[in-house]
Amino acid sequence: MVEGLGKASINLPLSVSMQKAEKQVINREIERRREMRQLYASLTSILPIELVKRKRSVPAHLLSTVHYIKEKQENIKEMSTKRDRLKKLFDTNESLVNHLSNTVSVKFCNGMVDIVINSCLEEGFAFSQVLDAIIKEGINIESCTSTKINNRLLHSIHSEVSEKALIDPSMLQRRLVLVANTWSNVI
């Protein structure tokens, strides 16, 4: 439309090019909206069903998606922190097992007693006091072997229970754990 001519319009060569420009703008907008629909559909397809199961507006879905992503990022940060702490703990204690206290296991079978003591080389314990405690329980020691495995000592004591002895395996184990973990006894 040309101003000054009232309501009558004059088609000038410029108006044809303006119509083409308007069509291009409209076509670009139609294409942009199509692409946005595809992207939105792609987004909703990868979100958990809980976020998209209710009918909501697109902005509401996008807002909940933003919150969901932030929540997941926080979870990732927390898990990364935990992972790093565990790695650091493992790295500083190359062999965490080597720093554990001395452990004792007691097994009874057909009048025989097998006692295994897993001890740390660095801390040590008075092995003779463990042997004395076993003998005081009325157990006859048949053989004893010690093996070094990964900076720990594995003591295996094979023994026989005398007929007079009434032995409670769990009590014997508790007593030997106490003796094996009393570092003041180490000479």
Side-chain angles (χ1 to χ4, degrees):
M1 282 184 129
V2 179
E3 288 185 13
L5 297 176
K7 293 187 179 184
S9 65
I10 301 173
N11 287 336
L12 299 173
L14 285 176
S15 67
V16 172
S17 64
M18 287 176 81
Q19 286 176 350
K20 284 184 181 179
E22 281 183 31
K23 281 185 178 182
Q24 285 179 341
V25 169
I26 291 171
N27 287 339
R28 272 190 256 140
E29 180 63 18
I30 290 170
E31 184 60 34
R32 185 191 69 79
R33 288 182 182 196
R34 183 180 303 128
E35 185 180 354
M36 291 303 292
R37 275 194 307 272
Q38 288 172 346
L39 291 171
Y40 180 71
S42 173
L43 175 67
T44 56
S45 72
I46 59 174
L47 288 173
I49 192 74
E50 299 84 34
L51 288 179
V52 292
K53 67 181 176 184
R54 294 184 294 177
K55 289 263 184 182
R56 294 191 288 186
S57 66
V58 172
H61 273 190
L62 292 176
L63 185 62
S64 66
T65 301
V66 168
H67 290 301
Y68 174 75
I69 290 170
K70 285 180 180 178
E71 181 183 314
K72 292 303 169 191
Q73 286 173 333
E74 286 298 316
N75 288 349
I76 289 169
K77 282 181 186 176
E78 288 175 17
M79 293 170 84
S80 294
T81 303
K82 280 183 181 179
R83 182 200 62 213
D84 293 342
R85 268 195 342 236
L86 288 171
K87 276 185 174 179
K88 188 175 180 180
L89 177 67
F90 185 74
D91 290 343
T92 55
N93 298 326
E94 253 180 48
S95 178
L96 190 58
V97 174
N98 293 339
H99 301 289
L100 295 175
S101 62
N102 303 322
T103 61
V104 178
S105 69
V106 177
K107 294 187 175 138
F108 278 83
C109 184
N110 298 330
M112 300 296 289
V113 181
D114 285 331
I115 301 168
V116 177
I117 303 170
N118 187 341
S119 69
C120 179
L121 282 176
E122 296 163 4
E123 298 296 329
F125 69 99
F127 189 62
S128 61
Q129 290 187 357
V130 171
L131 295 176
D132 285 342
I134 293 170
I135 292 169
K136 285 179 184 173
E137 292 290 328
I139 299 172
N140 301 321
I141 297 173
E142 304 244 331
S143 68
C144 180
T145 57
S146 297
T147 308
K148 181 180 175 184
I149 301 173
N150 295 331
N151 291 328
R152 294 193 62 85
L153 279 175
L154 209 58
H155 306 280
S156 297
I157 304 166
H158 302 287
S159 49
E160 187 176 37
V161 178
S162 65
E163 292 177 16
K164 300 176 196 173
L166 297 172
I167 298 171
D168 179 7
S170 62
M171 288 300 290
L172 176 61
Q173 182 174 2
R174 281 190 217 126
R175 180 155 186 230
L176 294 178
V177 166
L178 285 173
V179 174
N181 287 293
T182 306
W183 290 287
S184 61
N185 292 339
V186 178
I187 298 173

